[in-house]
Amino acid sequence: MELPMFFDACVHLFTVEVEGGNKMLQAFAGGSDPLPIPLGARPFCGRLLSEGGREYTCTTPPNALPSKSIHPGHADFGESGQNNDAESSAPALLTRPLVLHTSHLRPGTRCPVRHVLESQPLEPGFEWCPADHLLSERNSHCGLQLLLKGALTLGVLRPVFFVEHVDGRRIALLVEEYPTASAAAARVASELGDGSCDGTPLVLGALDKDGGEAFAADDKMLGGRTVRVLCRLVVQVTFGWSNVGVAGADVQLHTPKTISEGPRSQGNRPRISTTGDCGCCELHVPAGTYNVFASHGLLAGSGQHRSQVKLSHVTTHVSIVAPVGLLIYALGAHGGLTDSPADIGCDKATSSSLIVWLSADPMQVPDGAVPVGGCLRLGPHRTITFDPSHINRVVLQDVDDEIHFDERLAQCLPVEHISLDCMVAGYIWQPVSGNLLDTLAAWRQLISSPVCVGELQIPVFARLHCLAEETTASVPEMRQLATEGHRRACDIAAALAGEMGQGAALAELGVFLNERLLAPLDLVPARSTVDVWPMAPINLDVKTQCCQTGVVDVSVRLSEDYLMSGQPFDGRPSVHNYGGSTDVSGTCCLMANVGEHQMHLAHPLLVGCNEAADDGTLSLTSRGRCRSACDISVIVPVAMFVSTIDEVDGTKTVWLCSRVQDVPTGSQPALGTLHCPSSNAEVSVDVLSAGSEHIRVRMPENFGNVRLGSECPLTGLSFEAEASQPLVWSSGPLDSGCNSCLFTRLAIGKVAIGRLKPAIFVICDGGGPRLRLDVETCHTVAALRARLSVEFSRPEVDIAIYDTLSQVTSEMPLDDADGLTAGQEVVAGFLAPLAISVFVPEVGLEEPVGLAGVVVEVDGQELSTTDKKGRAELRVRSGKRFLRLRHPCFGESARELHDIFVTDQTQNRLEIMADIRLYFYATDPERDEVEEEFVQESCRAVDPTLVWVCGSIDQIPEAALGMEGIVRGVGFDGLEVSSALSSETYTELVICSGRDVEAQMQVHDCCRGYADV
C-alpha cells in the first residue's frame, strides 16, 4: 500500500539591477535561513500571469505567516510591489517565500512550479524578456528540481517609455534601444508616420500641465515615462506674395484659455518666437486651437496681425503677408540736406551729388532725408509717379490680411522689373542698376535697411566726333554723363566706347579738354565739356637705305589744321600735339584722332632726303582712319660728306659725316670715287667738289641690301683717290662703334673710315692695269716685285721693274736694291721664255744643221749666243720686242727682227734659217825683193792676180782688192744668182737667202705670230 505524501513548494522571487537600467528576475526554492540572496536585490513588485493570461491567486496558509501562500492560478506580491514590513534590507524583504499548495493536485498534473517559471511577469515601465535556457528546458517535468540547484534567472525586465502621437495613438519603446529624444522621434515617425511632407523630424515633448516643453535631440528618455508628439507650427511673414521673408517679426501663440485668463495666467503660458532671415519661425506645441499674434512695422494697419489656427497635424504652415510699399528719398553725399533738391538750384548743385535711397519701413527713414520726384516703372505697362514735395509710401502691391495657406500662390519676388527715374533740375540721374531689386538678397536687404539705388549727379558734357563718317567735317553729337563714375578720362572713354563703335577697346578713344589730350587717369572737372574722338594708330617705320636698319631716336610730331572741337584752326598754339620717337627698330606708333595730320620728323640723317630741310626736319601728310591703322614707311637715303685731313707722314684720313657742321675742321673735300658693295653689284659714286666747298654725296636709288638683317654694305666702303693723286686706299675704320649700320653712326657725328697713304704708280705691260701701291710696303724694287707676285699670282722671276714707259733698246730693268719714292711711276714688265734656233739650209739632210755662235740681242742688249745645235734659251719682256742676230752668215748688217710679239705665260719659239753668203775679192801676187825692184825699174809689168772666195767677211784681209767682172752661180731651188764684181772692194754674193728658205719651207709655222722684215 502506498501512502502519498505532498509537500508545498516555496519559491523565492527577486530582481537585480544590471547595466542599462534592466532588472534581472531570479528565483530559487528552499526554506533555509539565511537565504542565498545577493546584495542589492529587490523584491519583485509586479504580477504573474499564467500561460493562459490568468493571474495567479494567493492564499495564506494557517501556519505560514507572515509568508504569502498562493494557488496556482494567482500570486500576489503586495501593493505597488512594496513590502509593508519594517525591515528594509533585501534579505529581510525576501524571506517571505511564495508557497505553492500541492495537496489538491492529482497525479499527472503539470508541476505548479513549472507554471510559475514559465509565467509572464508584469511590472509597470518594464518589458519582460524570458531567458533562453528556460525555453530550451521546456520539457523538464519538475520545476522545483531546477530551483533546488540554485538561483535560476528567469529573464530580464527592460525599462520602456510611451510615446503618444498627435492623433492619440501610443507606442512603447525600449529605453535601451531609443535612449534619446531624436532616436525615439525617428522610431515613432517610422512606426506611426510623421505626417509631414518635407521630412522634418518629429518633435517630442513632456506630458505635463504646461502643455509640454519640447525635448532637445539629445535629451535622455526615462523608463515608465509618457511623452507626446508636439505639433510643428511654421509661421512665415512675407513681403507681399513672394518668397521674401520679413525678418524680425515677433510671433506669439496663445490658447483661448490664456487670452480669457489674462497675462497673469500660469497655466498654458504663451509661446513666443521671432522670424529669421527667411521670415519664418517655428513653434512646437501640443495639438489644439491657438491664437496667433504677429507684430512688425511692415504689417498693415498699426503693424499688428491676429488670427486663429487649429493644430491637428504634425506640421502646419501659416503665412502672413505684408503689403509691398516703398519710400523714396535723397540724402547729400556727405550727410543730410536742409533743402529739397528741387529748391537747391543749379548754382548750389555743383557742390555735391545726391544719394537716392529706397526704404520699406518708415521707421528707417533718417533725419535730414528730403523727397525727390520721378517715376517708378513696374515692367513695360505700369508706371507710378511720386510727388517730390513729400516722402510718402508708394504702394506697389496691396494684400488682404487673411491667412493664406496655399503656397502655390506665392511668387519669387514681390514685384519684378522695377526701374526708377529721378528728375531734379541741375542733376543727372545715375541709377545703380537699370533693374532694381531683382534678387531675393536685394529685397531682404531693403527690409533690413535702406538701399541705395542711384545718385543725382552733376553732369559732364561730351562732344562725340566722327560717329558716322571718317571726316572731321561731321557735326559732333552732344552727350551728358554723370560726374560720379566719369571723373577720369578713362571712365568717359569706357562709357562711350560702345556708342562710338569701338567695343571694349578703350585705348581707341581719346578724350580732349581745352585742346589737350587727357591721360587715362586725368581728372575731368564737373560741368566741363570734353571732345571725344576715335583714335587710330599711325605706325611709322624709318629705315636706312643701305641695310634696312631702323633709325633710332627720330623725333616724331603730329599737328592738325583744325581744333579738337571740330572748328577750323584759329592760330592758337596746339597743346595736344602727339609726339614720340622711334625705338631701336626704327618704329614708332602714335595713337591720333581720326583725321588728317601733318607728321614732322627730325633727325640728323634725314638731311639727305630731298624734301627735308637743312636742319634735318621732314614733313609728311598722314590720315588716321577708324578701326584701321595708317602705316608710313620712310627710307632714309644714304647721303654724306666725304673729306680728308692731312697727317704728318703724308697720309690723309678719310672722314664721313651726315651734316655739314660735322665736317672736321681743317679738312679738304675728297676727290675721287666711292666704291661700295650692294645687293645687285658694286656701286661707284664720283666724289666731286666746287673748289673748297664740301658737296654732299648721294648714293643711287638701287644701292643697298634689300634683305632685312643683311650686313650693312657701307662696312665694305672704299675710296679711290683721283687718278692723278699718288694716294692709295687703306681700309679702317679708325674708331669703332657699337652700331652694325655705319650710316646710323653718322647721326652721332663724323666717322673715320680709312686712310689714303702715299703711293707709287705701277703701269703694267700689255695694256694691264695702272696700279697705285702703298709706298710704305713697296719701298724697294724687290718689295714691289714681291707685292706684284702676290697681286698677279706670278713668280717673282717673271716680273721686272722698269723706270719709264719707253721701250728703247737701251732700257734695262731696275735693280732689286733700288729704292722707290711716293709719286714715282714705274713699269712692270712680265718676262716670258723665248727659245731661238738658227739653222743652216742644207739640201738632202733629214734634220737641219744648227748654226753655232750666233749672237742674240733683244732690244739692243746682248742676252745670249747659240750653242753648237744653234739654240739659245732666254727670258725676255713680254710684248713687242726687237731682236738682232749677229753672225757672218747674216752679213755686216746682221739679221734684224722687228715687232717680235712675246706672249706672256706661253712658251715662245723662234726658228731662223741662216743665209749662205760668198765673198769674192782679189789680192796682188806675192813678190820677193828682187822682183819688187824690177817692177819699180820697169814701172810696168804684167803678172797674174789671185782671186779669192770665202764664206765670212771676217776672212777677207785688209789688202783685198776689187775686180771687174761678174760672178754667177746656182742658188736655192736651182735659181741662178749673179752679181757684178766691184773694182774697189770685195763683192758679196748671196747664194741662198734664209728668209727665202723660210718662206719656201714655211718654217715660220712653228713661229706663228711673229713677223720679221
Side-chain angles (χ1 to χ4, degrees):
M1 176 178 179
E2 293 181 356
L3 180 63
M5 298 182 68
F6 298 94
F7 299 93
D8 293 333
C10 295
V11 179
H12 297 268
L13 297 175
F14 59 90
T15 62
V16 179
E17 291 191 5
V18 294
E19 184 180 2
N22 298 328
K23 292 182 179 181
M24 187 169 57
L25 179 62
Q26 294 183 336
F28 68 91
S32 61
D33 192 14
L35 298 175
I37 300 175
L39 293 176
R42 292 290 183 269
F44 174 65
C45 301
R47 296 181 300 163
L48 290 177
L49 297 178
S50 65
E51 291 181 349
R54 295 182 298 109
E55 295 184 4
Y56 284 98
T57 59
C58 179
T59 60
T60 303
N63 56 356
L65 293 177
S67 299
K68 298 269 185 166
S69 61
I70 64 172
H71 291 283
H74 180 265
D76 187 6
F77 297 95
E79 296 183 9
S80 302
Q82 298 292 330
N83 194 315
N84 296 326
D85 292 344
E87 298 176 355
S88 60
S89 64
L93 290 174
L94 296 176
T95 55
R96 300 174 182 178
L98 172 64
V99 179
L100 299 177
H101 300 285
T102 60
S103 59
H104 63 285
L105 298 177
R106 290 179 296 178
T109 304
R110 190 181 182 193
C111 176
V113 176
R114 188 71 186 183
H115 277 286
V116 173
L117 297 180
E118 295 178 357
S119 63
Q120 182 177 2
L122 297 177
E123 185 173 345
F126 291 90
E127 180 185 70
W128 170 247
C129 181
D132 294 338
H133 66 85
L134 291 179
L135 298 177
S136 63
E137 298 178 0
R138 294 180 64 89
N139 296 327
S140 177
H141 180 71
C142 181
L144 186 60
Q145 293 179 355
L146 295 175
L147 297 178
L148 293 176
K149 296 178 182 180
L152 179 65
T153 299
L154 304 183
V156 178
L157 291 168
R158 298 194 296 180
V160 297
F161 63 95
F162 302 93
V163 181
E164 182 179 322
H165 209 294
V166 294
D167 56 3
R169 290 178 294 169
R170 291 169 58 92
I171 184 174
L173 301 177
L174 290 171
V175 175
E176 182 180 4
E177 295 181 359
Y178 306 100
T180 62
S182 61
R187 174 60 181 168
V188 172
S190 175
E191 184 77 15
L192 303 180
D194 57 4
S196 63
C197 60
D198 56 0
T200 305
L202 296 178
V203 179
L204 303 183
L207 184 62
D208 53 30
K209 61 183 180 179
D210 291 336
E213 293 290 340
F215 288 129
D218 55 352
D219 282 353
K220 301 296 184 182
M221 296 290 97
L222 302 178
R225 189 174 186 179
T226 300
V227 298
R228 74 174 79 186
V229 177
L230 300 181
C231 293
R232 176 171 167 262
L233 176 61
V234 180
V235 179
Q236 184 178 23
V237 182
T238 61
F239 196 45
W241 294 105
S242 68
N243 292 336
V244 179
V246 178
D250 294 329
V251 179
Q252 296 186 12
L253 196 64
H254 298 265
T255 62
K257 180 179 179 181
T258 304
I259 299 175
S260 62
E261 293 179 354
R264 293 188 178 183
S265 174
Q266 297 299 321
N268 295 326
R269 63 182 181 275
R271 300 295 194 273
I272 302 174
S273 183
T274 303
T275 57
D277 293 338
C278 61
C280 295
C281 65
E282 290 189 11
L283 298 168
H284 303 103
V285 294
T289 301
Y290 296 89
N291 292 318
V292 180
F293 294 90
S295 61
H296 193 277
L298 297 181
L299 296 176
S302 60
Q304 300 290 329
H305 171 86
R306 179 176 178 177
S307 60
Q308 193 175 75
V309 63
K310 182 178 180 180
L311 305 180
S312 58
H313 299 85
V314 173
T315 302
T316 302
H317 290 269
V318 173
S319 295
I320 301 174
V321 181
V324 180
L326 300 177
L327 296 100
I328 306 171
Y329 61 92
L331 292 172
H334 303 289
L337 297 175
T338 58
D339 299 323
S340 170
D343 301 331
I344 291 177
C346 294
D347 54 342
K348 297 182 180 178
T350 57
S351 60
S352 175
S353 60
L354 302 178
I355 311 298
V356 179
W357 299 83
L358 288 184
S359 177
D361 191 347
M363 301 301 295
Q364 296 176 352
V365 178
D367 296 336
V370 295
V372 293
C375 62
L376 272 172
R377 292 184 176 85
L378 310 179
H381 306 297
R382 185 183 176 191
T383 301
I384 302 176
T385 303
F386 48 93
D387 189 359
S389 59
H390 303 283
I391 304 177
N392 293 327
R393 181 192 292 265
V394 179
V395 178
L396 306 183
Q397 185 185 93
D398 200 1
V399 296
D400 22 307
D401 297 332
E402 297 296 329
I403 299 177
H404 298 271
F405 299 97
D406 192 354
E407 295 180 333
R408 293 175 299 175
L409 299 178
Q411 56 187 7
C412 181
L413 300 178
V415 181
E416 295 182 339
H417 308 297
I418 301 177
S419 61
L420 175 64
D421 284 336
C422 290
M423 292 166 284
V424 177
Y427 292 89
I428 182 172
W429 169 241
Q430 185 69 23
V432 172
S433 173
N435 193 12
L436 303 177
L437 303 175
D438 54 352
T439 63
L440 287 174
W443 283 98
R444 290 169 182 155
Q445 176 64 30
L446 176 68
I447 294 172
S448 62
S449 63
V451 175
C452 176
V453 293
E455 290 188 57
L456 290 168
Q457 296 181 351
I458 306 167
V460 172
F461 303 96
R463 281 190 293 257
L464 277 57
H465 298 266
C466 296
L467 283 178
E469 303 177 7
E470 297 180 4
T471 172
T472 56
S474 59
V475 178
E477 298 184 14
M478 295 298 298
R479 296 290 186 273
Q480 292 187 32
L481 299 174
T483 301
E484 282 299 324
H486 304 92
R487 294 184 179 275
R488 301 183 184 275
C490 59
D491 302 329
I492 296 176
L496 299 176
E499 189 171 358
M500 298 286 288
Q502 302 301 94
L506 305 184
E508 296 182 0
L509 286 183
V511 180
F512 297 82
L513 178 62
N514 297 329
E515 298 299 312
R516 184 174 67 89
L517 176 62
L518 300 180
L521 298 181
D522 284 350
L523 294 176
V524 178
R527 298 191 176 278
S528 60
T529 300
V530 296
D531 292 283
V532 181
W533 286 81
M535 306 293 282
I538 297 179
N539 300 319
L540 175 66
D541 188 9
V542 183
K543 296 190 180 301
T544 61
Q545 176 192 10
C546 51
C547 58
Q548 303 295 307
T549 298
V551 181
V552 69
D553 292 334
V554 177
S555 176
V556 185
R557 184 176 59 87
L558 299 180
S559 63
E560 303 78 32
D561 58 359
Y562 51 88
L563 301 176
M564 289 299 101
S565 61
Q567 300 299 318
F569 183 63
D570 56 4
R572 316 183 259 184
S574 178
V575 295
H576 71 275
N577 285 341
Y578 314 103
S581 59
T582 56
D583 55 17
V584 292
S585 63
T587 60
C588 177
C589 180
L590 298 178
M591 294 297 295
N593 64 285
V594 172
E596 193 169 283
H597 306 270
Q598 289 293 322
M599 177 179 286
H600 308 280
L601 309 180
H603 194 273
L605 297 181
L606 295 178
V607 295
C609 297
N610 294 329
E611 304 84 1
D614 293 338
D615 57 354
T617 58
L618 179 64
S619 297
L620 305 172
T621 300
S622 62
R623 178 176 175 79
R625 296 183 178 273
C626 289
R627 304 174 188 87
S628 64
C630 176
D631 298 324
I632 299 177
S633 179
V634 176
I635 301 298
V636 181
V638 176
M640 50 197 172
F641 295 96
V642 185
S643 59
T644 61
I645 295 181
D646 294 336
E647 305 294 343
V648 177
D649 56 353
T651 301
K652 294 179 180 290
T653 303
V654 181
W655 292 87
L656 298 182
C657 56
S658 62
R659 298 178 300 180
V660 67
Q661 56 265 35
D662 294 333
V663 174
T665 304
S667 63
Q668 303 86 30
L671 298 177
T673 304
L674 278 175
H675 300 281
C676 189
S678 185
S679 293
N680 300 323
E682 183 177 89
V683 174
S684 298
V685 180
D686 293 334
V687 181
L688 305 174
S689 66
S692 60
E693 181 182 357
H694 293 270
I695 298 178
R696 183 178 283 110
V697 179
R698 300 179 185 273
M699 302 301 285
E701 293 183 358
N702 62 346
F703 169 72
N705 290 336
V706 295
R707 182 182 300 175
L708 187 64
S710 301
E711 183 181 10
C712 179
L714 292 178
T715 56
L717 191 69
S718 62
F719 181 76
E720 181 183 357
E722 194 178 30
S724 61
Q725 296 182 2
L727 297 172
V728 65
W729 170 253
S730 176
S731 62
L734 298 181
D735 56 349
S736 60
C738 60
N739 292 336
S740 59
C741 177
L742 178 62
F743 186 55
T744 57
R745 291 173 54 191
L746 299 182
I748 305 174
K750 62 182 183 297
V751 175
I753 61 171
R755 291 190 176 96
L756 291 174
K757 294 184 177 181
I760 59 174
F761 294 101
V762 179
I763 301 173
C764 299
D765 277 350
R770 186 173 187 267
L771 304 179
R772 276 180 289 195
L773 300 179
D774 182 9
V775 72
E776 182 180 353
T777 58
C778 302
H779 58 285
T780 63
V781 172
L784 177 59
R785 291 178 62 218
R787 170 65 185 278
L788 294 177
S789 173
V790 176
E791 184 80 19
F792 297 106
S793 301
R794 297 285 299 273
E796 291 186 29
V797 69
D798 288 349
I799 301 173
I801 305 301
Y802 302 91
D803 189 25
T804 63
L805 283 173
S806 175
Q807 298 192 25
V808 298
T809 57
S810 61
E811 182 183 9
M812 289 292 292
L814 298 177
D815 189 80
D816 283 349
D818 291 344
L820 301 175
T821 60
Q824 183 178 352
E825 185 175 74
V826 296
V827 178
F830 299 103
L831 303 182
L834 177 61
I836 299 177
S837 301
V838 182
F839 300 105
V840 176
E842 293 285 348
V843 180
L845 297 179
E846 294 182 358
E847 293 185 1
V849 177
L851 180 62
V854 179
V855 178
V856 180
E857 295 181 4
V858 179
D859 295 332
Q861 303 294 327
E862 184 178 328
L863 298 181
S864 182
T865 303
T866 58
D867 57 12
K868 61 183 179 179
K869 293 184 178 182
R871 298 175 181 175
E873 300 283 345
L874 62 157
R875 301 181 68 82
V876 298
R877 184 176 175 183
S878 61
K880 290 182 180 181
R881 304 269 70 86
F882 169 69
L883 271 67
R884 189 167 183 268
L885 304 179
R886 292 189 291 110
H887 192 274
C889 70
F890 294 117
E892 293 183 0
S893 60
R895 178 80 173 268
E896 294 182 353
L897 302 175
H898 299 273
D899 297 333
I900 301 299
F901 194 83
V902 179
T903 304
D904 185 24
Q905 297 182 341
T906 303
Q907 185 67 33
N908 300 278
R909 293 187 303 169
L910 182 62
E911 295 183 356
I912 304 298
M913 300 303 292
D915 298 338
I916 299 178
R917 296 173 181 270
L918 295 178
Y919 296 92
F920 296 90
Y921 64 92
T923 59
D924 291 333
E926 295 181 358
R927 300 183 180 92
D928 52 17
E929 294 178 0
V930 175
E931 292 178 339
E932 186 65 29
E933 290 177 1
F934 176 78
V935 172
Q936 290 179 357
E937 289 178 357
S938 61
C939 296
R940 184 170 183 163
V942 178
D943 291 325
T945 300
L946 297 178
V947 177
W948 299 85
V949 62
C950 65
S952 172
I953 196 173
D954 296 335
Q955 297 173 351
I956 299 175
E958 294 181 0
L961 302 174
M963 58 184 139
E964 295 179 356
I966 188 170
V967 59
R968 294 183 178 88
V970 179
F972 177 71
D973 204 17
L975 297 178
E976 181 180 334
V977 294
S978 61
S979 177
L981 296 176
S982 173
S983 58
E984 297 180 358
T985 183
Y986 62 87
T987 299
E988 180 183 57
L989 177 64
V990 179
I991 300 297
C992 180
S993 172
R995 286 187 174 90
D996 295 338
V997 177
E998 293 170 2
Q1000 183 67 24
M1001 298 178 63
Q1002 299 181 352
V1003 295
H1004 60 280
D1005 289 346
C1006 62
C1007 309
R1008 195 169 298 165
Y1010 294 88
D1012 56 328
V1013 178

